[in-house]
């Protein structure tokens, strides 16, 4: 008889939620994590009394009451509302694209004026069947918004000309004709007070966890300890890249303690020109207004080429990679006693609420 019902590879949000739910059902779970701490990319740490998002800003937002109720079992969430500022060659614009942005661009003050300008620019672009991101953006928001606030940022982020990126990526960008700087439309929004790592720690209460363990270094032994393995890492790595390597974009973070009380007056500044090498500066103190410190902590976020063995952040879901992933997914479905979950195993970008919802979908079938 196996010692564990489930071996869970990865202590990120997917693995932690799965372990918590199955443990609550009376199953015995073992989580192995190659990093020295739990949380995956939502991990946080305290620096100079400030809760720092180690791997980029994470704001929890959802319309799903079941998801929101679940995460609130493990943390008290503040009411943080994401209202980023864009810096384009020294000029500042509100995000998401809204009436504040349109006033800053053109001086217009009413939705009708903004509609007229954008509609004229859409018509001038004359795109009806967009074949790439640039054409989709011009068709959706017009030339000024695209060139000022989308083009440079996107090309830095993906390391490719917008003409070479698939059109669907632009679908994530909101466009509003109201004076509203709330980036997300979701009913429930916030960040755990004290950070995500504390939340994940509580989720894993009562679960056996091994940190600093590379699953692939002792795979046969670890698999032998459990009846079923849940794998949340890169799916091509699981199969030893036998069909080829999936492509990703990576990130590099430079975190700095600054000897001032407030560095930029806002949690998130996006740098939308191509010449600035980083895409964002995060000032972590602004994620939680209860934090008190004479110093502040900022993180510059640099897009980076993904190298094998590095940290994969964003899947490149173009036609070639999507076809390759489909082949890996077919192999995964045929793999006995193994489940695959999370953004890396699914080769798909997940918001945090999507991750929890996907865990629900998986565990509901295991009842």
């Amino acid at each position: 008889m196996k010692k564990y019902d489930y071996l869970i590879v990865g202590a990120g949000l997917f693995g932690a939620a799965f372990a918590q739910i199955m443990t609550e059902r009376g199953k015995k779970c073992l989580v192995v994590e190659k990093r020295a701490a739990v949380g995956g990319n939502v991990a946080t740490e305290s620096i100079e009394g400030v809760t720092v998002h180690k791997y980029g800003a994470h704001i929890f937002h959802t319309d799903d009451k079941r998801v929101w109720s679940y995460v609130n079992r493990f943390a008290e969430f503040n009411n943080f509302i994401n209202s980023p500022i864009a810096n384009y060659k020294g000029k500042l614009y509100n995000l998401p694209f809204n009436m504040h942005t349109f006033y800053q661009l053109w001086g217009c003050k009413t939705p009708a004026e903004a509609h007229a300008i954008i509609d004229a620019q859409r018509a001038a672009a004359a795109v009806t069947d967009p074949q790439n991101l640039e054409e989709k953006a011009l068709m959706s928001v017009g030339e000024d918004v695209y060139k000022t606030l989308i083009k440079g940022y996107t090309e830095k982020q993906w390391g490719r000309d917008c003409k070479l990126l698939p059109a669907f990526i632009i679908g994530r960008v909101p466009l509003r004709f109201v004076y509203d700087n709330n980036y997300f439309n979701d009913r429930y929004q916030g960040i755990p007070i004290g950070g995500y790592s504390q939340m994940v720690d509580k989720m894993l209460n009562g679960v056996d966890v091994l940190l600093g363990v590379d699953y692939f270094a002792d795979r046969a032994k670890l698999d032998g300890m459990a009846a079923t393995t849940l794998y949340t890492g890169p799916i091509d790595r699981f199969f030893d890249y036998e069909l080829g390597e999936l492509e990703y974009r990576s990130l590099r973070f430079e975190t700095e303690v600054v000897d001032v009380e407030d560095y930029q007056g806002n949690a998130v500044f996006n740098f939308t020109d191509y010449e600035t090498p980083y895409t964002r500066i995060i000032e972590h103190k602004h994620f939680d207004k209860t934090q008190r410190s004479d110093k502040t902590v900022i993180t510059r976020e640099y897009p980076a080429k993904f190298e094998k063995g590095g940290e994969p952040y964003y899947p490149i879901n173009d036609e070639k990679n999507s076809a390759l992933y489909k082949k890996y997914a077919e192999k995964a479905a045929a793999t006995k006693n193994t489940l695959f979950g999370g953004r890396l195993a699914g080769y798909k970008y997940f918001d945090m609420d999507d991750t929890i919802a996907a865990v629900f979908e998986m565990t509901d079938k295991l009842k």
Side-chain angles (χ1 to χ4, degrees), residues 47-48 50 254-264 281-283 285 293-300:
I47 299 177
E48 295 289 344
V50 176
E254 288 185 355
T255 297
E256 175 186 354
V257 176
V258 184
D259 195 14
V260 297
E261 192 169 337
D262 194 338
Y263 179 78
Q264 63 186 18
I281 294 181
I282 308 301
E283 186 168 10
K285 181 185 288 188
S293 176
D294 293 336
K295 298 180 181 181
T296 193
V297 183
I298 64 169
T299 298
R300 293 179 178 86

Side-chain angles (χ1 to χ4, degrees), residues 105-146:
L105 280 167
W106 308 306
C108 58
K109 299 178 182 178
T110 67
E113 291 173 324
H115 271 293
I117 294 171
I118 291 174
D119 288 346
Q121 292 189 7
R122 286 168 170 165
V127 177
T128 57
D129 183 21
Q131 299 300 304
N132 55 56
L133 188 148
E134 177 164 294
E135 291 181 355
K136 178 69 177 293
L138 292 171
M139 185 180 76
S140 301
V141 301
E143 182 177 20
D144 289 349
V145 173
Y146 169 63

Side-chain angles (χ1 to χ4, degrees), residues 178-196:
V178 292
Y179 288 92
D180 180 8
N181 295 325
N182 182 350
Y183 196 85
F184 303 114
N185 286 315
D186 300 292
R187 178 179 180 184
Y188 308 108
Q189 301 181 43
I191 295 173
I193 296 172
Y196 286 98

Side-chain angles (χ1 to χ4, degrees), residues 202-332:
K202 289 183 180 179
M203 294 169 74
L204 291 172
N205 185 36
V207 179
D208 289 346
V209 179
L210 298 177
L211 299 176
V213 173
D214 183 353
Y215 167 70
F216 293 104
D218 210 354
R219 181 173 180 172
K221 178 182 176 181
L222 289 168
D223 283 337
M225 297 173 68
T228 302
T229 295
L230 167 65
Y231 177 76
T232 68
I235 192 169
D236 54 349
R237 176 70 180 91
F238 183 88
F239 294 106
D240 199 26
Y241 309 105
E242 62 182 65
L243 301 177
E245 296 178 24
L246 291 165
E247 294 180 290
Y248 297 87
R249 284 292 284 171
S250 192
L251 295 172
R252 178 171 61 86
F253 303 98
E254 288 185 355
T255 297
E256 175 186 354
V257 176
V258 184
D259 195 14
V260 297
E261 192 169 337
D262 194 338
Y263 179 78
Q264 63 186 18
N266 199 55
V268 181
F269 263 74
N270 289 356
F271 291 81
T272 60
D273 61 283
Y274 187 80
E275 293 74 18
T276 302
Y278 42 85
T279 51
R280 300 197 290 183
I281 294 181
I282 308 301
E283 186 168 10
H284 302 270
K285 181 185 288 188
H286 292 288
F287 289 129
D288 185 349
K289 301 299 184 183
T290 66
Q291 296 180 115
R292 297 288 180 265
S293 176
D294 293 336
K295 298 180 181 181
T296 193
V297 183
I298 64 169
T299 298
R300 293 179 178 86
E301 188 172 304
Y302 295 81
K305 181 181 179 182
F306 173 71
E307 302 286 353
K308 187 175 178 179
E311 195 62 42
Y313 280 90
Y314 300 108
I316 299 177
N317 297 116
D318 58 15
E319 186 175 345
K320 180 187 74 171
N321 284 288
S322 295
L324 179 57
Y325 166 70
K326 184 178 180 181
K327 293 178 182 178
Y328 276 122
E330 290 170 355
K331 287 182 68 67

Side-chain angles (χ1 to χ4, degrees), residues 10-13 33 35 37-44 54-55 58 197 200 343:
L13 201 55
E33 167 58 51
R35 289 175 174 171
V38 301
N41 285 352
V42 304
T44 51
K54 294 177 67 175
Y55 306 104
H58 289 85
S197 288
V200 175
R343 65 183 180 88

